[in-house]
Amino acid sequence: MLRGRDRQRVAVDALLRRARVGRGGVLVVCGEPGSGRTALLDHARRSSEAVLCVDDVRVLDDDLRRLAADVTDTQAALLIATDGETFGLPAVVLDPLDRAESLLVLHDLVPGLPGALAVDLADLACGNPLALVELARSLTSDQLGGIAPPPDGLPRDSSLRGRLLARFAALPQRARDVVALAAVDEELTADELARLTGDLDAVTEAGALLDPRRLIRSTLYAGLSPAVRFQAHARLAELLPPGPRRAWHAACTGQAGDEPADQLTTSAERARRCGDFATAARDHDRAARLTSDPEQKARRLLNAAADHWAHGAPHRARAVLRTASRLTDTTELKALVDLVVGGIDLGESLPDVAADRLVRAARSLLGTRRGLAVAALGFAGEAASIAGDHRRYSAIAEFAARIRLADEPPATRLTLEHLAGMAATFDGRHDVALPALRQVIELAHQVPGPQARIWASQAAYVLGDAAGSHEMATGAVTAARESGLTALVPWALVYRALSALLLDQHAAALTAATEGVHAATAIGQHNAVVDHLTILALLAALRGDAETALHRIDAATEHITQRGLTRPGTFGAWAFACVDLARDRPADALDRLRLHPGHAGIKVMAAPHVVEAAVACGQPSTADRALQRFERWAEATGSLARRALSHRCHGLLETGTADEHFEEAIRLHRASGTAMELAKTELLYGNRLRRGRKPKVAREHLRDAVRIFQSYQADHWVARATAELRAAGDTTGEPNDRPELTPQQAQIARLVAEGATNREIAARLFLSHRTVEHHLRNIFARLGVRSRVELTRRLD
């Protein structure tokens, strides 16, 4: 189905086309103020001289009714814009923009807008286009620099704000009183207001001004006088049942002492345990506002900041932390601030700075909050890994080993084992790494929560247990969402994507990484966005889709350079090298992989492509050095998929035993279920057999390769394998008679069916506009359809 602006414009254009052939009529365009009604009417005026437009209609008077009847079946069209009812006439409703559309609008209006601030503005605007424009225009240089909180409502010179306040002023007094109650308590619904006040008529008269969206309530609250706010708080302190909400309103009128702050703190802690971090942040913040003691106030603000971060609102967390840090200079509180800020920086800032901050927090907290200190070291290690600073990672792991106790509880032991295992892996000491990483997986079954599963998924991935890694990562995503820890979702999705790729499940990897980009974008985790973009680039490159891979690398490159993100940078270099290999540029691929400073772990993972490039360039010694590191890892972990790649590399390097290595690689690929890599191995082996004058055997392997590449819809590799098959004497090849879509084509088809434009699809899937058009042509051809409408019907 069509959605948003597409559907409304289609309806208006259809009316104008009918009018041109003498079948005109009337259409009501219904939407709230600022929803784009006037813009749609302006579009109609530009498109036709025979259109009559009437804006901001509240009542359909007799003249308009007669006009609506008169234009029917003529060469004229009547458009009526309203924010109320549709008057029983044909109508379209202007739906609010969704978050992705809102973010696109904001980034078009303010290029370089900080991601977390964009998310806050999108949430505040609630999909209202005019609100997005006015909020974007009101931003200050401090806000754009990320050092000031976002506005709490529309700017004072906003025309939309003026309209909302004018509607409020036009209400009868009793309806204004009801709206004031809703403005000072965002939780109140219309039904609850009717029940509390007993005045259903007033609630009905208030109408759309009781909309619970933040845009309306925050704007109305800012427009209330202090006296009206006081009266509203006082009335709710009488009407609400006993509890934290009633206590809060009582405190706002000065009717209570410290008790409301304590009640709100208890409520926040209860909400946190239930995974409702948004409520926890609100109640911790309210408790802090009612607290006079500076240190206690700082602790409550710190808790609010931690809850904002967990809920995926790092920009708000930073704003609260700035206030907290000014209130006290005690060592523990400063360390706790460092811990929360370091956690935020891990996702959106310079990882090396985050690592230093987190280590400093760990040292300060070790004597009083040991569990938090060890957790800080775990996050510091992750920051060092993102930066590709393995010397720093080793130092963090050594510090963790020195502070280790004999009777560690499972949660801290898991983190310490993880640091030890990963540090040993980066150093190539697999005999030390493997026992520690196996302990991480075992302990993860004893420790609740998503973080333990993220560590375990990473450990299983290093150990070559792709299925176990995928299971743990999936569990981490589920646990993070169920517990409200939104901040951990993109991180968990990284390992779900990587483990799916190791399993050769490209569709699952594509889904996880795409979901990861959008989850990270929604909460302002720029570094995680880059992680997922480079994984998506690698996926495209492995399929031979060079244009898509390069587009995604380009989207990530600036952030990689600015923030020193070596880990995703190495993924990007690996993806670029795969593009070079697909384009028969092995020397470029070798230089890209060999000269990139890189992340040690990922460079080992990319070793099979180094070998392929080095052999093609006639540099066997370079290939042999890369293979030795990879082979030690593959043999130590026992991973069938990695051992298959190791044998493939030996097949490329050796002469007398090459056939044995290729045959063993094929056997291991089949045993591990890695079909795409099997096809590449058979392509390489077939090429070798053909050049060795064994065309019959070569054709057997090349036909298998063609079939597998076709099943993945990897068009580039289908063409390569088919050409090699013809060179081996096969004049027919095997036609692609399978109509199934690739995972990416299926995503594009689904978005088309939902009404997305090519531009929207390109932005959502991080593709170029030209790539989307190319995929659509292939989709139409494979499904035998000729238009987007037919495609939509086919997918229904």
Side-chain angles (χ1 to χ4, degrees):
M1 75 184 205
L2 295 176
R3 50 171 198 176
R5 300 304 179 263
D6 288 336
R7 184 174 66 246
Q8 291 100 33
R9 185 161 291 191
V10 165
V12 170
D13 289 343
L15 174 62
L16 298 180
R17 285 195 301 271
R18 291 196 301 271
R20 292 188 189 105
V21 295
R23 291 169 43 231
V26 62
L27 185 68
V28 175
V29 179
C30 189
E32 65 181 8
S35 61
R37 298 173 315 192
T38 303
L40 196 56
L41 264 59
D42 288 342
H43 161 73
R45 290 190 187 98
R46 291 192 300 270
S47 302
S48 173
E49 295 180 359
V51 59
L52 307 173
C53 298
V54 186
D55 202 355
D56 203 21
V57 174
R58 300 291 174 82
V59 178
L60 195 68
D61 58 26
D62 291 340
D63 290 339
L64 268 180
R65 287 189 183 279
R66 281 194 295 273
L67 184 57
D70 290 343
V71 297
T72 301
D73 291 333
T74 69
Q75 290 187 317
L78 172 63
L79 291 176
I80 300 173
T82 179
D83 62 357
E85 60 176 310
T86 62
F87 313 116
L89 297 172
V92 291
V93 178
L94 287 166
D95 300 322
L97 303 176
D98 63 24
R99 177 180 274 187
E101 293 167 331
S102 297
L103 291 173
L104 282 174
V105 170
L106 285 168
H107 286 297
D108 283 345
L109 292 168
V110 188
L113 181 66
L117 179 56
V119 171
D120 276 337
L121 295 180
D123 287 347
L124 174 60
C126 301
N128 186 292
L130 181 57
L132 289 169
V133 172
E134 293 183 337
L135 286 167
R137 287 174 178 168
S138 72
L139 293 174
T140 66
S141 58
D142 281 350
Q143 287 164 343
L144 290 174
I147 60 173
D152 287 329
L154 291 166
R156 298 195 68 83
D157 60 351
S158 158
S159 64
L160 182 54
R161 180 178 188 268
R163 286 188 229 172
L164 288 172
L165 294 179
R167 290 181 65 179
F168 172 72
L171 291 174
Q173 182 61 52
R174 63 180 188 173
R176 290 203 302 272
D177 291 343
V178 167
V179 172
L181 297 180
V184 301
D185 190 327
E186 66 271 23
E187 294 181 59
L188 282 172
T189 65
D191 288 343
E192 190 176 10
L193 279 166
R195 187 173 65 253
L196 289 173
T197 63
D199 194 343
L200 179 59
D201 290 341
V203 171
T204 302
E205 289 170 341
L209 291 184
L210 295 181
D211 191 308
R213 286 178 294 171
R214 184 179 166 206
L215 172 71
I216 294 177
R217 295 214 173 172
S218 61
T219 301
L220 290 171
Y221 180 83
L224 298 178
S225 68
V228 172
R229 292 181 195 171
F230 182 92
Q231 291 169 0
H233 282 299
R235 192 174 180 198
L236 287 173
E238 296 174 355
L239 294 174
L240 287 169
R245 287 172 68 195
R246 178 173 177 169
W248 162 248
H249 290 294
C252 289
T253 62
Q255 298 176 28
D258 293 334
E259 185 179 353
D262 294 336
Q263 288 186 15
L264 285 163
T265 300
T266 300
S267 172
E269 291 168 351
R270 186 185 307 115
R272 180 186 279 183
R273 287 194 298 271
C274 295
D276 185 358
F277 289 98
T279 297
R282 184 202 65 204
D283 286 350
H284 272 135
D285 185 71
R286 285 178 172 179
R289 281 189 265 170
L290 301 178
T291 304
S292 55
D293 177 70
E295 183 165 342
Q296 190 176 23
K297 186 183 187 75
R299 287 184 183 277
R300 285 169 171 167
L301 285 172
L302 184 60
N303 281 326
D307 292 329
H308 279 307
W309 174 80
H311 182 55
H315 203 274
R316 295 177 198 172
R318 286 190 188 278
V320 173
L321 285 170
R322 279 191 291 271
T323 303
S325 61
R326 291 195 295 265
L327 293 172
T328 181
D329 59 359
T330 63
T331 301
E332 182 180 310
L333 281 176
K334 281 192 170 183
L336 290 171
V337 169
D338 277 338
L339 174 58
V340 179
V341 173
I344 297 170
D345 284 344
L346 181 63
E348 66 169 34
S349 191
L350 300 172
D352 53 348
V353 173
D356 288 342
R357 190 186 294 274
L358 287 161
V359 170
R360 185 170 68 234
R363 292 183 186 279
S364 298
L365 292 170
L366 193 57
T368 56
R369 308 284 288 274
R370 194 168 187 282
L372 286 179
V374 173
L377 289 176
F379 286 123
E382 177 66 11
S385 178
I386 293 171
D389 190 340
H390 303 301
R391 184 174 298 177
R392 192 192 303 254
Y393 197 105
S394 294
I396 293 167
E398 289 169 6
F399 174 49
R402 289 197 302 272
I403 67 169
R404 186 167 184 159
L405 302 177
D407 57 345
E408 293 286 357
T412 54
R413 186 179 165 203
L414 183 151
T415 303
L416 295 169
E417 294 282 10
H418 182 268
L419 285 166
M422 293 306 299
T425 297
F426 295 146
D427 290 342
R429 295 179 290 114
H430 301 297
D431 57 329
V432 176
L434 267 56
L437 295 175
R438 289 182 183 123
Q439 281 292 302
V440 171
I441 296 170
E442 183 178 331
L443 289 164
H445 294 290
Q446 305 174 36
V447 179
Q451 184 60 63
R453 285 163 176 75
I454 291 173
W455 292 142
S457 178
Q458 187 175 5
Y461 182 83
V462 173
L463 291 171
D465 181 5
S469 177
H470 194 263
E471 181 182 354
M472 281 291 182
T474 300
V477 173
T478 301
R481 286 177 171 149
E482 288 179 349
S483 63
L485 283 163
T486 308
L488 296 182
V489 171
W491 192 1
L493 285 167
V494 166
Y495 290 102
R496 187 153 83 177
L498 289 176
S499 58
L501 183 56
L502 184 57
L503 287 165
D504 223 20
Q505 295 176 359
H506 283 225
L510 178 67
T511 298
T514 304
E515 185 181 348
V517 169
H518 293 292
T521 300
I523 59 177
Q525 288 190 1
H526 316 300
N527 295 348
V529 170
V530 175
D531 264 329
H532 285 287
L533 275 176
T534 52
I535 293 171
L536 285 169
L538 181 60
L539 271 166
L542 291 172
R543 289 197 314 273
D545 185 353
E547 184 178 356
T548 295
L550 295 177
H551 179 77
R552 288 166 174 168
I553 292 169
D554 185 60
T557 297
E558 182 180 355
H559 301 288
I560 289 169
T561 304
Q562 287 179 348
R563 300 195 192 97
L565 306 179
T566 299
R567 185 174 72 189
T570 311
F571 270 121
W574 183 7
F576 219 138
C578 290
V579 169
D580 288 331
L581 284 172
R583 291 177 168 177
D584 288 322
R585 298 194 304 230
D588 291 342
L590 185 59
D591 286 344
R592 209 175 298 280
L593 289 168
R594 187 176 54 182
L595 301 178
H596 192 280
H599 185 283
I602 297 169
K603 291 191 81 169
V604 172
M605 291 161 57
H609 291 102
V610 175
V611 172
E612 186 179 339
V615 169
C617 292
Q619 298 185 32
S621 59
T622 300
D624 191 59
R625 285 194 299 273
L627 177 55
Q628 287 177 22
R629 293 190 296 271
F630 182 83
E631 191 168 28
R632 285 198 300 270
W633 181 37
E635 292 300 325
T637 62
S639 165
L640 296 181
R642 290 172 184 152
R643 285 174 56 206
L645 293 174
S646 179
H647 279 286
R648 181 171 84 190
C649 291
H650 277 292
L652 290 169
L653 270 169
E654 299 181 20
T655 53
T657 60
D659 288 353
E660 295 174 15
H661 283 295
F662 272 117
E663 293 293 347
E664 181 63 6
I666 289 168
R667 185 187 71 81
L668 291 169
H669 281 311
R670 287 175 175 155
S672 63
T674 50
M676 187 75 160
E677 291 301 336
L678 167 62
K680 289 185 179 178
T681 297
E682 295 205 276
L683 172 59
L684 291 167
Y685 188 28
N687 174 270
R688 185 183 187 93
L689 289 167
R690 179 184 64 79
R691 288 186 289 107
R693 299 178 185 250
K694 297 178 181 178
K696 182 178 179 182
V697 184
R699 288 195 293 269
E700 293 174 4
H701 290 288
L702 291 169
R703 288 189 188 110
D704 281 344
V706 170
R707 275 195 296 269
I708 294 170
F709 287 138
Q710 286 175 343
S711 71
Y712 278 81
Q713 299 292 349
D715 295 343
H716 171 83
W717 292 112
V718 170
R720 283 277 292 269
T722 301
E724 189 67 39
L725 185 58
R726 291 196 185 102
D730 188 309
T731 58
T732 60
E734 292 197 13
N736 183 2
D737 57 357
R738 303 191 60 174
E740 292 91 345
L741 302 179
T742 67
Q744 189 163 83
Q745 288 170 345
Q747 284 186 315
I748 291 171
R750 186 169 62 252
L751 290 171
V752 167
E754 291 175 2
T757 64
N758 286 5
R759 178 176 178 272
E760 290 169 338
I761 294 169
R764 184 163 181 80
L765 299 183
F766 293 89
L767 303 170
S768 69
H769 190 273
R770 190 171 66 178
T771 298
V772 173
E773 291 176 344
H774 169 75
H775 281 307
L776 269 178
R777 287 194 295 271
N778 287 338
I779 291 167
F780 286 0
R782 282 175 178 153
L783 296 183
V785 298
R786 292 175 296 178
S787 69
R788 299 168 84 96
V789 173
E790 285 187 36
L791 175 60
T792 301
R793 289 173 181 162
R794 175 73 177 269
L795 297 178
D796 281 345

